[in-house]
Amino acid sequence: MAVIRPFAGIRPCQEKAGKIAALPYDVYNRQEAKKVVEQNPESFLKIDRAETQFEDSVGTYENKVYQRAHDTLWEMVEKGDFVREAKPCYYIYELTMDGRVQTGIAACASIDDYLSGTIKKHENTRAEKEADRICHVDACNAQTGPIFLAYRANAVIRDMVNAKKQETPLYDFVSEDGIRHRVFVIEDEGQIKTIQETFEKIGEIYIADGHHRAASAVKVGLKRRESHPDFTGEEEFNYFLSVLFPDEELMIMDYNRVVKDLNGLSPADFLNKVNDIFEVEKLDSQEKPKEKGQVSMYLDGNWYLLTIKEEDKSNDPVEGLDVSLLQKLLLQPVLGIENPKTDERIDFVGGIRGLGELEKRVSTDCAVAFAMYPTSIGELFGVADAGKLMPPKSTWFEPKLRSGLFIHEI
């Protein structure tokens, strides 16, 4: 049983929503984030990445950076850039990218469901990345970036969401990357009860994206429980900000690999080894793989389609992933990539950048590129249901949720 409850959100005033809403903090490096804030001083990045308000000599993780995030947030609330919802609500958050629509429900999920495994993970987290967001949430006394959750589609929720979307939205704007964002508020007590009870029946919820944000929010909640030993479980710190999407509407893009050298092999010798492992077809031009079990490779100015042989496939939810098979069959034994999480010879390129980016990398700082067939949402669920973890950089979700549209005060 999953507890997905409404919350009294802090959200932008209507006229400023489009300017405040920002891409997640972790899609930018420091200089990129600073440039965004310089160009748009109202961007929520000045809170999510408060080091943008300091000289470069100030460290990203210094205490005064987190204090500045707190001060900026609450000054904006005081000034009226943000408004407080009068009572707990659900929010419908619709994103449209290239004509494809996905619609989620912004709500709060339970840290106990995370700890018990009702909310399922498919990635490990790194302590140093958690530490940053723990400090940020704790200092701001608020969760500012929603965790992207997924659930198996449900007709009751679908019908209610579609009916609400016929009404006038609270926000309706197009962000600088061409994504349309619309937000609606569900404040009717009967509808709120129906949604809450329906999620209780759905059961499992899955983290699609935002594992570090989720882990950090949970650890802040546990920290506050320690300092409030008489907690009841109803306090806001027992819950974390999320947007939940039905699986049928989600798109996972390819997450591609580039390797900086051929491990001492010439292109011809490397291609011979590839021919021994895969069924190989030379392509006339760049072409993405068309189905699971295929990988497109760019080497020495040419594209090739690699098909994994039947005898090498696996029914295991992790070992059977294309990214796992590429690692097992080629990257490790031939290119010497023992651990893709730590090896500096391999890099990862989100599918949003296209195959042209792979060609560019091979022409500049890499020797070979591999374009993957996207991992499916069903495969993600399968890995999480088995209690296993995906290899690093297996999924790339688009479009990205904006930070700053919903804030959960804890």
Side-chain angles (χ1 to χ4, degrees):
M1 182 181 84
V3 178
I4 304 297
R5 76 176 195 173
F7 68 108
I10 296 172
R11 54 177 179 77
C13 61
Q14 275 187 305
E15 61 270 22
K16 291 196 174 184
K19 289 186 176 181
I20 288 174
L23 283 166
Y25 74 97
D26 52 358
V27 306
Y28 299 105
N29 63 34
R30 180 168 182 159
Q31 293 308 313
E32 289 169 340
K34 193 169 187 176
K35 185 175 181 180
V36 169
V37 173
E38 287 173 353
Q39 293 174 341
N40 176 16
E42 294 185 284
S43 170
F44 199 78
L45 264 184
K46 69 180 179 181
I47 295 169
D48 258 354
R49 296 287 295 273
E51 73 272 21
T52 58
Q53 300 188 56
F54 292 89
E55 296 296 325
D56 291 348
S57 58
V58 175
T60 299
Y61 310 117
E62 291 189 32
N63 288 337
K64 62 182 177 181
V65 171
Y66 299 112
Q67 185 61 44
R68 178 66 63 86
H70 168 277
D71 294 347
T72 304
L73 171 61
W74 295 108
E75 285 168 7
M76 291 180 72
V77 173
E78 183 70 23
K79 190 170 65 172
D81 291 337
F82 290 92
V83 296
R84 292 176 181 270
E85 207 70 65
K87 67 171 194 172
C89 303
Y90 289 115
Y91 303 87
I92 293 175
Y93 183 16
E94 177 198 83
L95 301 96
T96 303
M97 175 181 175
D98 298 332
R100 189 185 64 82
V101 178
Q102 65 182 50
T103 308
I105 294 180
C108 282
S110 164
I111 69 172
D112 288 315
D113 284 346
Y114 177 96
L115 294 168
S116 70
T118 299
I119 295 176
K120 296 178 179 289
K121 301 169 281 188
H122 67 268
E123 281 184 12
N124 270 329
T125 54
R126 289 163 48 191
E128 67 271 19
K129 290 188 70 176
E130 286 183 23
D132 168 48
R133 287 302 102 176
I134 288 172
C135 291
H136 192 274
V137 171
D138 213 15
C140 288
N141 205 43
Q143 297 155 1
T144 59
I147 288 79
F148 187 152
L149 301 180
Y151 63 94
R152 291 183 174 88
N154 176 277
V156 172
I157 294 177
R158 182 193 304 117
D159 291 346
M160 190 173 293
V161 166
N162 287 339
K164 176 59 70 171
K165 284 167 57 174
Q166 302 308 308
E167 301 176 9
T168 302
L170 173 67
Y171 306 135
D172 186 350
F173 64 91
V174 177
S175 51
E176 67 282 352
D177 55 357
I179 309 299
R180 185 182 184 187
H181 305 262
R182 295 203 303 163
V183 172
F184 304 79
V185 183
I186 295 180
E187 52 189 350
D188 177 81
E189 292 296 338
Q191 293 178 331
I192 288 174
K193 183 180 179 182
T194 298
I195 291 173
Q196 195 158 8
E197 291 178 347
T198 303
F199 273 118
E200 288 177 0
K201 296 173 185 175
I202 286 174
E204 295 88 357
I205 305 293
Y206 301 82
I207 298 178
D209 200 10
H211 282 77
H212 286 92
R213 290 193 293 278
S216 301
V218 169
K219 289 184 177 178
V220 171
L222 293 176
K223 179 180 176 182
R224 299 215 169 179
R225 284 181 174 183
E226 288 181 4
S227 60
H228 297 81
D230 58 343
F231 75 92
T232 66
E234 289 301 308
E235 299 88 353
E236 292 299 328
F237 58 71
N238 295 289
Y239 299 85
F240 59 89
L241 180 63
S242 307
V243 183
L244 300 96
F245 291 89
D247 57 347
E248 64 187 7
E249 294 186 11
L250 295 180
M251 178 181 71
I252 302 178
M253 298 190 74
D254 41 308
Y255 214 152
N256 303 315
R257 280 87 171 111
V258 289
V259 182
K260 296 185 178 180
D261 62 68
L262 297 179
N263 201 25
L265 297 170
S266 69
D269 289 339
F270 176 69
L271 185 58
N272 285 335
K273 290 186 178 292
V274 172
N275 273 287
D276 291 338
I277 299 167
F278 301 96
E279 296 173 6
V280 180
E281 174 190 352
K282 188 175 181 180
L283 300 171
D284 295 328
S285 59
Q286 62 173 230
E287 185 178 315
K288 290 186 175 183
K290 293 184 173 61
E291 61 186 37
K292 178 175 167 57
Q294 293 182 339
V295 180
S296 293
M297 180 180 75
Y298 186 64
L299 172 73
D300 201 27
N302 295 298
W303 281 96
Y304 301 86
L305 183 65
L306 317 183
T307 301
I308 298 168
K309 296 177 181 178
E310 284 299 321
E311 59 265 30
D312 290 322
K313 295 180 180 179
S314 171
N315 291 323
D316 182 89
V318 175
E319 296 301 321
L321 296 171
D322 286 355
V323 289
S324 297
L325 290 167
L326 181 68
Q327 172 66 25
K328 175 184 176 181
L329 298 172
L330 184 62
L331 299 185
Q332 189 275 328
V334 177
L335 291 178
I337 306 293
E338 298 289 342
N339 186 348
K341 287 182 72 172
T342 58
D343 197 316
E344 294 183 355
R345 295 171 52 235
I346 189 170
D347 199 3
F348 304 90
V349 180
I352 192 71
R353 295 181 177 271
L355 297 185
E357 180 67 16
L358 300 185
E359 292 185 353
K360 178 182 175 183
R361 291 296 301 272
V362 171
S363 69
T364 54
D365 64 336
C366 293
V368 63
F370 302 95
M372 310 303 299
Y373 186 75
T375 303
S376 71
I377 192 69
E379 288 176 314
L380 185 154
F381 284 2
V383 171
D385 285 339
K388 297 188 175 186
L389 301 174
M390 282 190 168
K393 312 297 184 183
S394 296
T395 57
W396 180 282
F397 283 90
E398 288 286 348
K400 302 293 185 190
L401 309 185
R402 262 40 182 193
S403 295
L405 286 178
F406 316 103
I407 297 169
H408 175 225
E409 184 178 8
I410 61 170

